[in-house]
């Protein structure tokens, strides 16, 4: 049997073989209650689509501005600040809207794709953001774990590859099926194993980050490369309104949202 045949046998064992698709869809009677629910569902889906677009627009603006404020506060007080509360009062100066701007020690790293090591690319992004090379290299070495992982290449790649790749696939599949297999030759090992790089920002980085910057503006630029996850939570609406007043306002705000938001065309 070929490596591809063996792979298909392994797929059958683990139950991942997809069912064959039929050309025609079966016809069935749709109950009236389902059609009524469908009439309510479709507008809801369209409203959600518009709301998600608006959420992305306003969320990006809030994140950009508030991370700037957060960077200034962190730099000035020297330690991680408490997540700030956003409050809007109504015309009578009563609480109307509120929410928390949450900053978590979970990270998104912004750097260019390429063949060079990830550590080099992260340092390059920091240099582009205004750091000198020595400072960027020091930060990455101290605070970002870029340990490569050795993994086996996907079996569907090996099973349809060169004779050496197919031979390596045969041995991996045999082991997965509980069958004896000879050790990899040097050539099989070279084609079957690959390294992937993963990144992890070390715990407590927000408490140490001030050590790597000269001023609040440089900290803002650092956060554009090593970005803590941030979002609005615990949002409250119409705090001082009656339930009826909140519903009426929400209807008007929904109308304004739909009329004022352009949803990008899906390709």
């Amino acid at each position: 049997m070929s490596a591809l045949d063996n792979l298909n046998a392994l797929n059958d064992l683990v139950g991942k073989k997809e069912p064959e698709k039929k050309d025609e869809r079966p016809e069935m009677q749709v109950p009236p209650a389902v059609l009524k629910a469908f009439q309510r569902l479709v507008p809801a889906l369209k409203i959600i689509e518009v709301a998600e677009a608006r959420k992305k627009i306003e969320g990006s603006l809030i994140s950009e501005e508030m991370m700037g404020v957060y960077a200034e506060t962190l730099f000035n007080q020297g330690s991680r600040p408490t997540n700030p509360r956003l409050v809007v009062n109504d015309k009578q100066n009563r609480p109307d809207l509120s929410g928390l701007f949450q900053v978590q020690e979970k990270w998104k790293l912004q750097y260019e794709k390429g063949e060079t090591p990830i550590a080099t690319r992260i340092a390059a992004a920091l240099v582009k953001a205004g750091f000198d090379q020595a400072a960027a290299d020091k930060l990455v070495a101290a605070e970002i774990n870029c340990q490569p992982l050795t993994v086996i290449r996907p079996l569907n790649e090996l099973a349809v590859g060169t004779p050496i790749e197919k031979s390596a696939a045969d041995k991996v599949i045999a082991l997965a099926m509980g069958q004896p297999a000879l050790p990899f030759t040097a050539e099989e090992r070279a084609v079957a194993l690959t390294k992937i790089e993963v990144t992890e920002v070390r715990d407590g980085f927000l408490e140490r980050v001030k050590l790597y910057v000269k001023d609040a503006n440089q900290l803002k630029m650092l956060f554009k490369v090593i970005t803590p996850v941030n979002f609005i939570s615990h949002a409250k609406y119409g705090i001082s309104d009656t339930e009826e007043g909140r519903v009426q306002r929400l209807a008007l705000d929904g109308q304004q949202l739909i009329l004022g938001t352009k949803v990008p065309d899906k390709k």
Side-chain angles (χ1 to χ4, degrees):
M1 293 178 68
S2 69
L4 186 56
D5 290 332
N6 286 335
L7 178 58
N8 288 333
L10 180 61
N11 285 339
D12 289 337
L13 268 184
V14 298
K16 291 186 176 180
K17 187 174 181 180
E18 296 184 359
E20 295 182 2
K21 294 182 179 179
K22 296 182 179 180
D23 293 333
E24 296 182 1
R25 297 180 185 274
E27 293 184 3
M28 64 177 66
Q29 185 178 1
V30 179
V34 171
L35 292 178
K36 288 185 178 297
F38 183 65
Q39 284 179 292
R40 296 189 296 268
L41 173 64
V42 173
L45 293 176
K46 299 307 294 183
I47 291 170
I48 289 172
E49 187 176 315
V50 174
E52 286 292 343
R54 175 58 63 181
K55 177 184 175 183
K56 184 176 181 180
I57 293 168
E58 307 303 355
S60 296
L61 188 153
I62 291 170
S63 177
E64 176 76 16
E65 295 293 330
M66 285 302 298
M67 281 310 301
V69 176
Y70 191 90
E72 288 182 5
T73 305
L74 192 158
F75 185 84
N76 291 332
Q77 73 181 33
S79 61
R80 180 178 178 180
T82 302
N83 291 327
R85 182 178 297 278
L86 283 65
V87 178
V88 176
N89 291 336
D90 62 16
K91 293 180 180 179
Q92 286 75 42
N93 203 33
R94 300 175 304 174
D96 187 36
L97 309 173
S98 72
L100 288 179
F101 180 70
Q102 296 257 33
V103 178
Q104 297 182 340
E105 279 209 274
K106 298 178 181 179
W107 304 92
K108 297 179 181 178
L109 300 178
Q110 316 291 338
Y111 54 88
E112 293 184 0
K113 295 180 179 180
E115 299 299 324
T116 56
I118 289 180
T120 302
R121 283 179 275 149
I122 296 172
L126 288 169
V127 170
K128 192 174 181 180
F131 286 73
D132 62 62
Q133 188 67 57
D137 290 339
K138 178 181 177 182
L139 188 158
V140 173
E143 299 293 352
I144 302 177
N145 181 11
C146 300
Q147 181 68 37
L149 296 178
T150 300
V151 297
I152 296 175
R153 286 175 53 201
L155 292 177
N156 59 325
E157 289 182 7
L158 294 173
V160 296
T162 65
I164 295 295
E165 289 172 325
K166 291 177 180 177
S167 176
D170 281 334
K171 292 180 179 180
V172 175
I173 293 168
L175 290 173
M177 298 178 71
Q179 299 172 358
L182 294 173
F184 277 175
T185 65
E187 292 82 3
E188 290 168 344
R189 187 180 303 110
V191 298
L193 301 181
T194 187
K195 286 186 177 182
I196 59 173
E197 290 185 299
V198 295
T199 57
E200 179 185 30
V201 179
R202 301 190 191 280
D203 290 344
F205 178 56
L206 277 176
E207 298 293 340
R208 300 184 297 274
V209 68
K210 186 180 175 181
L211 301 174
Y212 300 99
V213 297
K214 299 175 182 177
D215 51 38
N217 187 60
Q218 192 173 41
L219 181 53
K220 293 178 189 179
M221 299 308 295
L222 183 151
F223 280 154
K224 291 182 182 295
V225 178
I226 308 172
T227 309
V229 170
N230 58 85
F231 53 90
I232 294 292
S233 70
H234 300 81
K236 295 182 179 180
Y237 176 90
I239 298 170
S240 300
D241 285 347
T242 64
E243 184 62 31
E244 182 181 1
R246 276 193 291 272
V247 171
Q248 291 175 350
R249 279 184 58 190
L250 193 60
L252 292 174
D253 286 342
Q255 182 181 32
Q256 184 178 0
L257 182 150
I258 292 169
L259 294 176
T261 301
K262 182 178 180 181
V263 180
D265 294 333
K266 293 183 178 179
K267 296 182 179 179

